[in-house]
Amino acid sequence: MRAVIFGASGLLGRSVLHTFAGTSVTGTGFSRSSNGLVRVDATSAGDIERLLDRDRPGVVVNCVGERRPVAWASTPDQARGRNVVTARLIAEGARRYGARLLHISSDYVFDGQAAPYRPNDRPKPLNVYGRWKLLAEQAVLAACPDAVILRLPMLYGPVQFAAETNLTDIARQVSLGAQMELDDVCVRYPTHADEAAEVCRRLAEALLHGQCTASVIHWSASQGFTKYRLALMIARRFGLSDEHIRAGKADATRGDRPLDCRLVCQGLPAAFDSVRRRPFRTEFPSVVEPWLPFPRPVAS
Ligand SMILES: NC(=O)c1ccc[n+]([C@@H]2O[C@H](COP(=O)([O-])OP(=O)(O)OC[C@H]3O[C@@H](n4cnc5c(N)ncnc54)[C@H](OP(=O)(O)O)[C@@H]3O)[C@@H](O)[C@H]2O)c1
């Protein structure tokens, strides 16, 4: 298999690149393009074309995006470009070079009022990020009709800095001990990046062998937690005080965060039943432990 992974320097892309080890694969980065990654600005059609022309991949996985709320607010044009323009240009490139395309999208295309959501349920985004992810999906399918969209929920996994994911950011705050209030209303379904990456690898093979006919696929862990519950689990697992953690409803009351976007995993061939599930309760300690100043693991 010849593959190109766009956005291979990010949380999901790093895991996806790892699962493609042993194939003829190229990963791209943008601001973080060291360690053998090719620097590609995916808002540039020329950059994309040069790489696809050089590598002629059978499959392209697009993990490029901007999912940090601070960027949606502070540099909206750039954030829109990173979510929508990149998606369209990569899809146009994949189509031009005859590659099958797997495009990563988000559960935020739904408003969270009517979970669970199936792939064919009508998207209704609540915030600007969800609208961009939906615009990206539409642009991808218009440019490359045989592309597959994989919608994922909140991801976690090994990070390069604590603020890279909500989970590690919460863990760092829990361990610092300052007063904190976390939303206890909005439910998220933290899914390990390595699990999502395994799905990507299998989908890439299914696409190449004509075994996937769906346009939109959902994948998600089954257990949901609020941010407050995540913080309590971290405190208990590592023997830290939880007296400074209060339950709030900041996300629910601000009006632009979905309450519950539980995704129904549908549209996949039966072979995906054997994807290794990574239960959050057993996986999160090894992910957060490096970011706790004084980790004191206790028996689970
Ligand atoms: N993380 C989640 O909880 C989550 C949940 C659901 C869906 N998703 C979706 O999954 C995909 C991957 O998310 P992620 O969490 O891995 O994001 P991430 O860690 O923020 O990584 C984003 C990737 O996009 C690259 N990128 C940004 N702007 C670019 C540009 N102009 N040209 C080329 N590459 C560019 C980044 O490169 P550099 O870092 O090198 O600049 C990085 O590799 C995104 O579509 C995201 O919306 C994520």
Side-chain angles (χ1 to χ4, degrees), residues 130-152:
R131 286 195 285 281
W132 290 334
K133 298 315 280 187
L134 181 58
L135 284 173
E137 290 187 3
Q138 292 164 344
V140 164
L141 292 176
C144 188
D146 68 354
V148 169
I149 311 277
L150 174 62
R151 293 190 186 129
L152 298 170

Side-chain angles (χ1 to χ4, degrees), residues 6-14 28-33 40-43 62-68 82-83 86 103-107 129 133 151-156 164-165:
F6 286 100
S9 53
L11 176 73
L12 177 62
R14 294 193 298 267
T28 80
F30 181 46
S31 61
R32 295 174 282 178
S33 49
V40 167
D41 178 358
T43 61
N62 180 9
C63 300
V64 171
E66 179 53 86
R67 42 123 175 131
R68 296 168 304 150
R82 289 181 174 189
N83 285 301
T86 54
H103 172 84
I104 307 301
S105 187
S106 163
D107 59 351
Y129 173 70
K133 298 315 280 187
R151 293 190 186 129
L152 298 170
M154 170 185 170
L155 300 174
Y156 71 100
E164 193 175 8
T165 62

Side-chain angles (χ1 to χ4, degrees), residues 276-299:
R276 187 184 144 212
R277 291 291 193 167
R278 291 165 169 81
F280 182 74
R281 284 178 197 282
T282 54
E283 296 290 332
F284 84 86
S286 65
V287 170
V288 304
E289 189 172 351
W291 305 98
L292 304 177
F294 305 108
R296 285 183 291 135
V298 293

Side-chain angles (χ1 to χ4, degrees), residues 36-48:
L37 299 181
V38 177
R39 186 180 188 283
V40 167
D41 178 358
T43 61
S44 155
D47 269 20
I48 294 167

Side-chain angles (χ1 to χ4, degrees), residues 67-82:
R67 42 123 175 131
R68 296 168 304 150
V70 64
W72 314 338
S74 62
T75 51
D77 290 344
Q78 188 181 67
R80 186 184 194 283
R82 289 181 174 189

Side-chain angles (χ1 to χ4, degrees), residues 214-275:
S215 301
V216 181
I217 286 169
H218 286 176
W219 189 269
S220 173
S222 55
Q223 271 199 304
F225 307 91
T226 63
K227 286 181 184 169
Y228 173 69
R229 294 285 149 197
L230 292 177
L232 292 188
M233 282 171 72
I234 293 165
R236 284 170 194 164
R237 177 65 180 79
F238 288 96
L240 302 167
S241 167
D242 60 11
E243 285 172 10
H244 58 298
I245 311 168
R246 287 195 320 277
K249 43 187 176 182
D251 287 351
T253 51
R254 52 182 293 151
D256 68 348
R257 294 291 192 274
L259 283 181
D260 182 346
C261 288
R262 182 155 68 88
L263 299 174
V264 179
C265 299
Q266 261 186 353
L268 289 162
F272 283 74
D273 293 349
S274 62
V275 168

